Amino acid sequence: MQERGYQGFSFLDVARSVGVSHVAVHHHFPSKADLGAAAMADYTERFEAQLARIDAAKPTPRRALEAFVDLFSATLSGSKRVCLCGMLTAELPVLPASVRREVRRFYAVNEEWLAERLRELQPAGASPNALAEAFLALLEGSMMTSRAFDESTRLSAAAAWFLDALSSPLREASARRR
Amino acid sequence: MQERGYQGFSFLDVARSVGVSHVAVHHHFPSKADLGAAAMADYTERFEAQLARIDAAKPTPRRALEAFVDLFSATLSGSKRVCLCGMLTAELPVLPASVRREVRRFYAVNEEWLAERLRELQPAGASPNALAEAFLALLEGSMMTSRAFDESTRLSAAAAWFLDALSSPLREASARRR
DNA sequence: GTCTATATCTTGATAGAC
DNA sequence: GTCTATCAAGATATAGAC
């Protein structure tokens, strides 16, 4: 699903990767919507666990955001896989409602986490919520182009620029002056 | 293709929208790869024409970039369509080589145009090429989330933030000081 | 839980008539 | 250029045995 999308994977693909018949997969996930929603829900759950792991280290907001970027870099490195949520977002109009719901939940969870860190980092700038949305969109987008060109620098460079623009003390001064 | 992707559209869809049999479509575009590559090539060509239209007005670099953003906003407004290139980028691993080639050409054309405007705007900052890549990724990514949440503000807010962060005089000062 | 067998549908693609 | 007819393949899904 992360490589070829919801429309691009089949029960047979899953079955082969596990070494069973495709009927066995149907037994656990009756419909493709069930399978897709379960995969997305599991993905979000794992992501939440890693967010908790980041928080546990009590990092500065800036370091927390860098660790967040690393989650995306790790997914991308050495594979054709991008963030499952980014992949499914592109296919949203064709997704069953249950899968769509899980995709939106991923955004809710991550944008909330990001907004909290951004609030600590730059309380006087643009709305933390808007910044969180833009940052996540940038990560998802640059992840796609990174894969398309097989250049992992696209993701890391874009993220670095964003964080740099954010935490520049001059920019904070500019925000305060408004 | 802009709504459901390369995998999500069929010859029958195209045929119905034109009012002919799907065989007639095969006559003009023998294979699906031919159809996909032609669509992407046509899309890039139209985009190039609009870039030329922007240039013809001799705008400031900042205004030119804003006009570029408007091209994306216009595509998004009131439909479920996103940029064809963004859509196909997500599906890149499953695309025929001929289609993939056209997708990459879209990036080459637009990133070059953007880099030129960014070079005029902020010669001392981060590499214009890297900024162009990040900006395009941000636009493609926020276009996806705009559609996913039916909130056109996501695209416009993200673009505005980027341009604002770029052209801040304080940021230019910061760049000069390095 | 897993299998074989089967049903049904859609898709990309071709043959050949008009 | 368009049509009807047809094909082969793959996908989702179910029935029923083990």
Side-chain angles (χ1 to χ4, degrees), chain A residues 3-4 7-8 87 90 92-94 104 107 111 131 133-134 137-138 145 147-149 154 161 165 170-171 174, chain B residues 3-4 7-8 87 90 92-94 104 107 111 131 133-134 138 145 147-149 154 161 165 170-171 174:
Chain A
E3 184 179 332
R4 306 198 293 275
Q7 300 178 102
M87 200 65 213
L92 207 87
V94 301
R104 296 217 177 92
Y107 279 103
E111 288 177 354
L131 280 177
E133 293 172 9
L138 178 64
T145 56
R147 176 175 69 171
F149 291 90
R154 286 185 174 241
W161 183 84
L170 289 172
R171 194 170 163 73
S174 150
Chain B
E3 185 179 331
R4 305 198 293 273
Q7 300 177 104
M87 200 65 213
L92 208 86
V94 300
R104 295 216 178 92
Y107 279 104
E111 288 177 354
L131 280 178
E133 292 171 9
L138 178 64
T145 56
R147 175 175 70 171
F149 290 92
R154 286 183 175 244
W161 183 85
L170 288 172
R171 194 169 163 74
S174 150

Side-chain angles (χ1 to χ4, degrees), chain B:
Chain B
M1 236 179 289
Q2 288 179 259
E3 185 179 331
R4 305 198 293 273
Y6 182 82
Q7 300 177 104
F9 93 96
S10 71
F11 276 87
L12 190 58
D13 294 328
V14 178
R16 270 201 274 249
S17 83
V18 183
V20 295
S21 153
H22 70 98
V23 183
V25 184
H26 271 287
H27 178 261
H28 297 275
F29 305 95
S31 76
K32 194 177 183 182
D34 295 327
L35 181 45
M40 188 66 237
D42 181 70
Y43 194 82
T44 301
E45 196 181 304
R46 289 174 195 240
F47 232 85
E48 282 183 294
Q50 294 193 281
L51 295 184
R53 245 188 79 248
I54 293 175
D55 289 339
K58 303 273 182 197
T60 65
R62 163 85 189 211
R63 295 277 297 183
L65 293 172
E66 284 168 355
F68 186 83
V69 174
D70 289 342
L71 297 180
F72 285 75
S73 304
T75 299
L76 189 62
S77 77
S79 83
K80 290 187 169 177
R81 296 184 184 177
V82 295
C83 173
L84 179 57
C85 177
M87 200 65 213
L88 297 189
T89 302
E91 296 183 287
L92 208 86
V94 300
L95 296 182
S98 58
V99 183
R100 228 179 310 192
R101 204 161 40 238
E102 289 300 329
V103 172
R104 295 216 178 92
R105 201 167 69 79
F106 180 92
Y107 279 104
V109 166
N110 285 279
E111 288 177 354
E112 188 188 3
W113 188 88
L114 284 172
E116 206 164 323
R117 267 80 216 150
L118 289 164
R119 203 172 295 119
E120 302 170 26
L121 194 66
Q122 190 206 30
S127 138
N129 288 316
L131 280 178
E133 292 171 9
F135 190 38
L136 196 49
L138 178 64
L139 292 178
E140 301 282 9
S142 60
M143 200 168 190
M144 292 293 176
T145 56
S146 274
R147 175 175 70 171
F149 290 92
D150 198 20
E151 294 171 1
S152 66
T153 57
R154 286 183 175 244
L155 171 62
S156 53
W161 183 85
F162 185 96
L163 292 178
D164 214 46
L166 255 192
S167 59
S168 152
L170 288 172
R171 194 169 163 74
E172 287 177 28
S174 150
R176 266 195 303 276
R177 193 171 317 124
R178 275 171 209 158

